[in-house]
Amino acid sequence: MAKMNIKKKRLITNRFAKIVVFMLCVFSFSVVAATEKEDSLRVVQKMNYSKGQSIGVVELKEQNELDASLSPYSSQRLPRVALKTNLVYDALTSFNLGLEFRLGKYLTLDVPLNWKPFNWGSSEKMFRHFMVQPEIRWWKEAFNGHFLGAHLLYSQYNLGGYKLPLGLLPAVRNKRYQGDMYGVGVSYGYHLMLSNRFSFEFTAGLGYLYLDYDKYACRSCKQQIGSGHKHYFGPTKLGVSLIYVIK
């Protein structure tokens, strides 16, 4: 009965994770479409102003906002969509890509995905996982300089044979843990512009994680020897990312 409840719980969790990822994708494309429409309208308004035309629905306040949306670091507009990869996760052989969308002059939405479906290296170790960590960011100016972030986290993991830092699952060095992880946290970062297209981003975050897991006797064992959960407070984010501005 316990095994059936665990399987049912995991099935529900998997479905929930898929729904969350789908909703994030839909929301992301909606943001891109809305931002593109907004910028197109502002270009038309700017042209009308430059020709000395007056439009009843256009106010001076909108013109000031248009002028303020131009980056002081570039003759081009602020980026709307950026593609990124976290070099820290790349070094850990975890495939990852992220998209960041500008929601306004001071807000962006960062949506990174991490996926490691295969186990590479020593046969005595296991490291597979999927993770999504959406984050809302507040800037002095989007995609330039310092920012503060608030993020959520969800992950499915299958881990064994490693010594984890900060006392997280200490028995995983000799056992295998498989389960789900949920979290929330805050972060600070800095966006370093190299050119109009390329940038580096440095970020770190702290927060709370809740892990539920099944425990197995060894990396390749299918015999379950227990289950449980763990609460964790500490680092939840670390990144050195290479960024390419799409538009």
Side-chain angles (χ1 to χ4, degrees):
M1 181 64 69
K3 290 185 177 180
M4 290 181 64
N5 291 334
I6 292 172
K7 289 181 178 179
K8 185 176 180 180
K9 179 181 177 182
R10 187 148 294 154
L11 178 61
I12 294 173
T13 302
N14 290 343
R15 289 178 178 176
F16 174 77
K18 291 177 181 178
I19 292 173
V20 170
V21 172
F22 174 75
M23 292 177 65
L24 284 172
C25 292
V26 172
F27 177 72
S28 299
F29 283 116
S30 300
V31 168
V32 174
T35 305
E36 186 170 346
K37 182 178 180 180
E38 177 187 358
D39 285 355
S40 298
L41 179 60
R42 286 183 174 181
V43 170
V44 172
Q45 292 173 354
K46 183 69 174 179
M47 292 173 63
N48 289 333
Y49 272 109
S50 65
K51 292 178 181 179
Q53 297 180 0
S54 60
I55 302 176
V57 297
V58 180
E59 298 179 353
L60 181 61
K61 181 180 177 181
E62 293 176 318
Q63 173 64 18
N64 293 335
E65 291 177 350
L66 172 64
D67 293 336
S69 69
L70 298 176
S71 169
Y73 303 101
S74 172
S75 61
Q76 298 186 2
R77 295 181 183 278
L78 291 176
R80 290 182 292 177
V81 184
L83 178 70
K84 59 177 62 177
T85 182
N86 189 332
L87 303 181
V88 175
Y89 292 129
D90 290 334
L92 296 173
T93 66
S94 177
F95 175 75
N96 71 95
L97 281 176
L99 287 172
E100 187 167 1
F101 306 94
R102 176 166 60 87
L103 305 182
K105 184 181 178 183
Y106 309 108
L107 284 177
T108 62
L109 172 66
D110 183 42
V111 186
L113 296 175
N114 297 268
W115 187 40
K116 190 176 185 296
F118 307 110
N119 193 57
W120 296 312
S122 173
S123 60
E124 299 301 319
K125 296 182 179 182
M126 168 67 73
F127 177 36
R128 298 179 184 176
H129 80 123
F130 166 80
M131 183 175 73
V132 58
Q133 194 173 28
E135 180 174 77
I136 289 288
R137 293 175 169 180
W138 292 266
W139 308 69
K140 184 177 180 180
E141 181 186 53
F143 292 104
N144 277 306
H146 304 275
F147 64 85
L148 296 175
H151 57 263
L152 300 174
L153 182 150
Y154 170 75
S155 176
Q156 290 181 339
Y157 60 90
N158 191 352
L159 184 67
Y162 288 89
K163 183 179 180 180
L164 300 182
L166 304 175
L168 184 63
L169 301 177
V172 76
R173 187 169 187 177
N174 301 312
K175 303 291 189 295
R176 179 170 66 89
Y177 285 74
Q178 184 173 355
D180 301 285
M181 179 168 61
Y182 312 85
V184 61
V186 294
S187 67
Y188 163 78
Y190 185 81
H191 185 106
L192 176 64
M193 295 180 62
L194 302 178
S195 68
N196 289 331
R197 288 291 183 183
F198 289 96
S199 302
F200 272 115
E201 175 187 285
F202 307 90
T203 182
L206 298 172
Y208 164 76
L209 298 176
Y210 173 80
L211 300 89
D212 62 34
Y213 56 82
D214 297 329
K215 184 164 63 174
Y216 299 85
C218 63
R219 174 206 172 276
S220 57
C221 297
K222 295 183 178 180
Q223 180 183 2
Q224 183 179 338
I225 60 174
S227 62
H229 65 271
K230 183 175 179 64
H231 301 278
Y232 163 84
F233 293 91
T236 54
K237 191 181 186 91
L238 180 65
V240 178
S241 299
L242 177 64
I243 299 174
Y244 174 76
V245 174
I246 299 176
K247 60 192 308 184

